[in-house]
Amino acid sequence: MNAENTIAIAGFPVISTNARMLAVHLHQTILLHGKEMLFFANTNFVVKCRPLLEQMKRDGAIIVNDGVGMDIAAYLSGGERFMENLNGTDFTPYFFSGVSRPLRVFLVGAKPEVLSKAASHVSHKLGQMVVGTCDGYAGLAKYRADLPELINRAQAEVVLVAMGNPAQEEWILANRQGLNANILIGVGALFDFWAGDKPRAPDWVRRVRLEWLYRLGLEPRRLLRRYTVDIVRFLILCRKHRGDGRAG
């Protein structure tokens, strides 16, 4: 991706792009047998993944913007605008819809019953070839050391990791060198949505960029800190590291 099209958010070099250009880049990466890591940065990502920033920059991770908080931070840091809002829930099926053949996909994370339904969705709804899964509980505990070998043996081209921030980013960064897969993506709660375990906000709520409020209403106990205390931490980080991570 073009490093010139980045907006620095609390030191994170977040690429300003759109779904079409990002998908084309990832399709080309697979075609050319390259490797990419893709992370969707929202306010929670910036707070939780701060210790991983230097490694992400060093390893060339693609970081894109997810959520209205990132747009506000971009505006406050210099009046800049992201080209398009991107999130794993919408982008991942869009990415799969543009491939010329089914891709070999390995799913990591979530509860076993959720993972099974998510794998079925990838196969039957998205038309991809699921070559393996590992849940984020007993499965990950059992196969943690051997998981990269299992993924390589399955000849996976795309690995979707759903563990939440920062666990999924830590796992991807720790294992990327040992994996032959072309694309590694941190997808957060995506498996829960695919499995029907968590509902998505109605279309009109998403259009007005209030999906975060909808999710807070559904899971107030789990998400209250994220949208109160962590938002304050996010704004402090943005102010403290304003200008860090700019291209050039």
Side-chain angles (χ1 to χ4, degrees), residues 19 65 82 90 105-106 124 129 148 159 169-171 193 196 200:
N65 61 297
F82 284 107
D90 293 320
V105 183
F106 200 106
H124 298 110
M129 184 185 303
V159 181
E169 289 80 16
E170 290 173 343
W171 189 90
F193 295 135
R200 287 211 67 188

Short mmCIF file of all heavy atoms in Angstrom, two decimals, residues 19 65 82 90 105-106 124 129 148 159 169-171 193 196 200:
data_model
loop_
_atom_site.label_atom_id
_atom_site.label_comp_id
_atom_site.label_asym_id
_atom_site.label_seq_id
_atom_site.Cartn_x
_atom_site.Cartn_y
_atom_site.Cartn_z
N ALA A 19 -12.26 0.35 0.14
CA ALA A 19 -12.39 -1.11 0.11
C ALA A 19 -11.89 -1.68 -1.21
O ALA A 19 -11.23 -2.73 -1.22
CB ALA A 19 -13.84 -1.50 0.37
N ASN A 65 -8.45 2.40 8.96
CA ASN A 65 -9.32 3.04 9.95
C ASN A 65 -10.67 2.36 10.08
O ASN A 65 -11.30 1.98 9.11
CB ASN A 65 -9.53 4.50 9.59
CG ASN A 65 -10.19 4.67 8.23
OD1 ASN A 65 -9.62 4.28 7.22
ND2 ASN A 65 -11.38 5.24 8.19
N PHE A 82 -10.19 10.53 6.30
CA PHE A 82 -9.94 9.22 5.71
C PHE A 82 -10.83 9.07 4.47
O PHE A 82 -11.96 9.58 4.42
CB PHE A 82 -10.25 8.11 6.71
CG PHE A 82 -9.19 7.94 7.77
CD1 PHE A 82 -9.42 8.36 9.08
CD2 PHE A 82 -7.97 7.37 7.44
CE1 PHE A 82 -8.45 8.20 10.05
CE2 PHE A 82 -6.99 7.22 8.41
CZ PHE A 82 -7.22 7.63 9.72
N ASP A 90 -17.43 -5.68 7.43
CA ASP A 90 -17.90 -5.39 6.08
C ASP A 90 -16.85 -5.71 5.02
O ASP A 90 -17.16 -6.19 3.93
CB ASP A 90 -18.32 -3.93 5.96
CG ASP A 90 -19.54 -3.60 6.80
OD1 ASP A 90 -20.46 -4.44 6.84
OD2 ASP A 90 -19.57 -2.53 7.42
N VAL A 105 -9.03 -20.96 3.35
CA VAL A 105 -9.16 -20.11 4.53
C VAL A 105 -9.06 -20.95 5.80
O VAL A 105 -9.68 -22.02 5.91
CB VAL A 105 -10.50 -19.36 4.51
CG1 VAL A 105 -10.61 -18.42 5.71
CG2 VAL A 105 -10.67 -18.58 3.20
N PHE A 106 -8.31 -20.43 6.77
CA PHE A 106 -8.18 -21.05 8.09
C PHE A 106 -8.70 -20.05 9.11
O PHE A 106 -8.33 -18.88 9.10
CB PHE A 106 -6.73 -21.41 8.38
CG PHE A 106 -6.54 -22.45 9.45
CD1 PHE A 106 -6.16 -23.75 9.11
CD2 PHE A 106 -6.74 -22.15 10.80
CE1 PHE A 106 -5.98 -24.73 10.10
CE2 PHE A 106 -6.57 -23.10 11.78
CZ PHE A 106 -6.18 -24.40 11.44
N HIS A 124 -20.45 -21.80 2.85
CA HIS A 124 -21.71 -21.85 2.13
C HIS A 124 -22.24 -20.49 1.70
O HIS A 124 -22.92 -20.39 0.67
CB HIS A 124 -22.75 -22.58 2.98
CG HIS A 124 -22.38 -23.99 3.28
ND1 HIS A 124 -22.02 -24.41 4.54
CD2 HIS A 124 -22.28 -25.09 2.49
CE1 HIS A 124 -21.72 -25.71 4.52
NE2 HIS A 124 -21.88 -26.13 3.28
N MET A 129 -13.09 -21.92 0.61
CA MET A 129 -12.75 -23.27 1.05
C MET A 129 -12.12 -23.22 2.44
O MET A 129 -10.98 -22.77 2.60
CB MET A 129 -11.77 -23.92 0.06
CG MET A 129 -11.44 -25.37 0.38
SD MET A 129 -10.17 -26.04 -0.74
CE MET A 129 -10.95 -25.76 -2.34
N PRO A 148 0.89 -23.01 13.80
CA PRO A 148 1.45 -22.59 12.52
C PRO A 148 1.72 -23.76 11.57
O PRO A 148 1.45 -23.67 10.37
CB PRO A 148 2.76 -21.87 12.91
CG PRO A 148 2.49 -21.37 14.29
CD PRO A 148 1.66 -22.44 14.94
N VAL A 159 -5.67 -16.39 6.65
CA VAL A 159 -5.92 -16.77 8.04
C VAL A 159 -6.69 -15.63 8.70
O VAL A 159 -6.21 -14.48 8.74
CB VAL A 159 -4.62 -17.05 8.82
CG1 VAL A 159 -4.94 -17.46 10.26
CG2 VAL A 159 -3.81 -18.14 8.13
N GLU A 169 -3.74 -9.42 17.46
CA GLU A 169 -2.58 -8.76 16.87
C GLU A 169 -1.28 -9.38 17.39
O GLU A 169 -0.33 -9.57 16.63
CB GLU A 169 -2.62 -7.26 17.16
CG GLU A 169 -3.69 -6.49 16.42
CD GLU A 169 -5.08 -6.61 17.04
OE1 GLU A 169 -5.16 -7.05 18.22
OE2 GLU A 169 -6.07 -6.27 16.38
N GLU A 170 -1.24 -9.69 18.69
CA GLU A 170 -0.05 -10.33 19.26
C GLU A 170 0.19 -11.67 18.58
O GLU A 170 1.35 -12.01 18.25
CB GLU A 170 -0.25 -10.53 20.76
CG GLU A 170 -0.23 -9.24 21.56
CD GLU A 170 -0.59 -9.44 23.02
OE1 GLU A 170 -1.17 -10.50 23.35
OE2 GLU A 170 -0.29 -8.54 23.82
N TRP A 171 -0.88 -12.46 18.38
CA TRP A 171 -0.72 -13.77 17.77
C TRP A 171 -0.23 -13.66 16.34
O TRP A 171 0.68 -14.40 15.92
CB TRP A 171 -2.05 -14.54 17.80
CG TRP A 171 -1.89 -15.98 17.40
CD1 TRP A 171 -1.62 -17.05 18.20
CD2 TRP A 171 -1.94 -16.50 16.05
NE1 TRP A 171 -1.52 -18.19 17.46
CE2 TRP A 171 -1.70 -17.89 16.14
CE3 TRP A 171 -2.17 -15.93 14.80
CZ2 TRP A 171 -1.68 -18.71 15.01
CZ3 TRP A 171 -2.15 -16.74 13.67
CH2 TRP A 171 -1.90 -18.13 13.78
N PHE A 193 -20.66 -12.48 14.55
CA PHE A 193 -21.68 -11.98 13.62
C PHE A 193 -22.05 -13.04 12.59
O PHE A 193 -23.23 -13.25 12.29
CB PHE A 193 -21.18 -10.72 12.91
CG PHE A 193 -20.94 -9.55 13.82
CD1 PHE A 193 -19.79 -8.78 13.71
CD2 PHE A 193 -21.86 -9.20 14.80
CE1 PHE A 193 -19.56 -7.70 14.55
CE2 PHE A 193 -21.65 -8.11 15.64
CZ PHE A 193 -20.49 -7.36 15.52
N GLY A 196 -24.27 -15.64 13.96
CA GLY A 196 -25.56 -15.19 14.46
C GLY A 196 -25.59 -15.08 15.98
O GLY A 196 -26.65 -14.90 16.57
N ARG A 200 -25.91 -7.60 14.22
CA ARG A 200 -25.36 -6.34 13.75
C ARG A 200 -26.41 -5.25 13.89
O ARG A 200 -27.61 -5.52 13.90
CB ARG A 200 -24.92 -6.45 12.29
CG ARG A 200 -23.65 -7.25 12.13
CD ARG A 200 -22.85 -6.77 10.96
NE ARG A 200 -22.31 -5.44 11.15
CZ ARG A 200 -21.69 -4.76 10.18
NH1 ARG A 200 -21.56 -5.30 8.99
NH2 ARG A 200 -21.22 -3.55 10.41
#
